[in-house]
Amino acid sequence: NKVYDLKPLLGSHPGGDDILLSRAGTDATKEFELFEHSEKSRVRREQELLVGEVVPAERSDWTAEAAAAGVPAVGAEPASSELARMIRFKLVDAAIFAMGLYAYKSWKHRKPLPKLMYSRGLRHLHLIMAVGIFGALGSAQAAARAEGMAKKRWLQVHKQTGLAMLGALVVRAIMRLFSGIPPRFPGNPTVMAIETASLQAFYVILAALPLSGLAQEYYLK
């Protein structure tokens, strides 16, 4: 039942201008709450974007309409959703525990490796990073093609995958200091220089993507 001027968000809104323009002049309460805007964005909405309120005769009870349509009110979720969320959290905890236990046992029972091989930990971490890269790209594409709650879930997967990749990069940097690295095969100096530069650029981009996402989440959301 409030009216906001969203023109200052054009060109900087994380969701793009299309979503703003498509809801211009309409009630966008459902869409705003669907994507869980931060407290910072809510404060900015009230302090910088509010221009007035709908006259009493034209106001609507969005909560009542949502309840009539079978949609839970903002902040209220059915018990089944709470149970499903708890199960997901427990599964994640179990997966983290299993990975930690596996890493510990692998470290305790490590064996000497040939000089031309990465350590087992680095090889496994490279596999995890590869899966994470494809997961981040795939979830982004899935979110671009989805709508509503499905889009929200894919965006959450994308964010979590990006954060996991950032953590994997930090772990790799630490393991790189304590793990043996195979010597490079001899070759053309120019080709070797291009390989080195491309590898460095790859890791810079891999770190920049989640960091830029975090910055956008903080400054623009």
Side-chain angles (χ1 to χ4, degrees):
N1 296 313
K2 295 182 179 180
V3 180
Y4 301 93
D5 178 11
L6 302 184
K7 289 195 295 293
L9 298 180
L10 295 177
S12 64
H13 187 259
D17 293 348
D18 291 343
I19 185 65
L20 299 180
L21 297 174
S22 66
R23 302 301 297 168
T26 66
D27 183 359
T29 305
K30 181 178 179 180
E31 287 77 6
F32 183 84
E33 297 296 345
L34 179 65
F35 290 99
E36 295 182 350
H37 288 73
S38 64
E39 185 64 26
K40 181 179 179 180
S41 66
R42 296 173 185 273
V43 172
R44 183 187 180 191
R45 178 189 66 179
E46 299 301 320
Q47 293 182 349
E48 301 178 14
L49 306 177
L50 180 63
V51 295
E53 296 188 8
V54 177
V55 296
E58 298 181 5
R59 293 182 181 180
S60 59
D61 188 345
W62 187 83
T63 303
E65 293 179 5
V71 179
V74 176
E77 294 188 10
S80 58
S81 297
E82 291 292 339
L83 178 61
R85 179 182 300 176
M86 183 186 69
I87 292 175
R88 287 197 300 269
F89 287 159
K90 294 302 181 183
L91 289 176
V92 171
D93 291 341
I96 293 174
F97 175 78
M99 292 178 63
L101 182 62
Y102 175 77
Y104 172 76
K105 289 190 174 183
S106 297
W107 176 260
K108 295 292 289 185
H109 299 89
R110 64 189 185 279
K111 301 176 181 179
L113 297 173
K115 292 183 178 180
L116 296 181
M117 291 182 64
Y118 282 101
S119 67
R120 179 184 295 179
L122 275 178
R123 282 183 284 142
H124 291 175
L125 189 59
H126 289 163
L127 174 61
I128 293 173
M129 292 172 65
V131 173
I133 290 172
F134 284 105
L137 295 175
S139 57
Q141 292 298 317
R145 291 172 170 79
E147 297 293 340
M149 290 300 297
K151 186 182 187 73
K152 177 182 176 181
R153 285 192 291 267
W154 280 117
L155 286 174
Q156 290 175 338
V157 171
H158 179 69
K159 292 177 182 179
Q160 293 169 352
T161 305
L163 291 176
M165 290 302 302
L166 184 60
L169 277 177
V170 175
V171 174
R172 188 201 182 279
I174 295 173
M175 293 183 65
R176 172 66 174 80
L177 299 175
F178 301 99
S179 300
I181 302 298
R184 298 186 63 175
F185 291 104
N188 184 284
T190 302
V191 175
M192 294 179 68
I194 294 175
E195 290 177 347
T196 300
S198 62
L199 184 62
Q200 292 173 345
F202 169 75
Y203 281 108
V204 169
I205 294 174
L206 207 58
L209 289 175
L211 288 175
S212 62
L214 288 172
Q216 184 185 53
E217 186 83 6
Y218 179 78
Y219 288 107
L220 298 181
K221 189 173 180 180

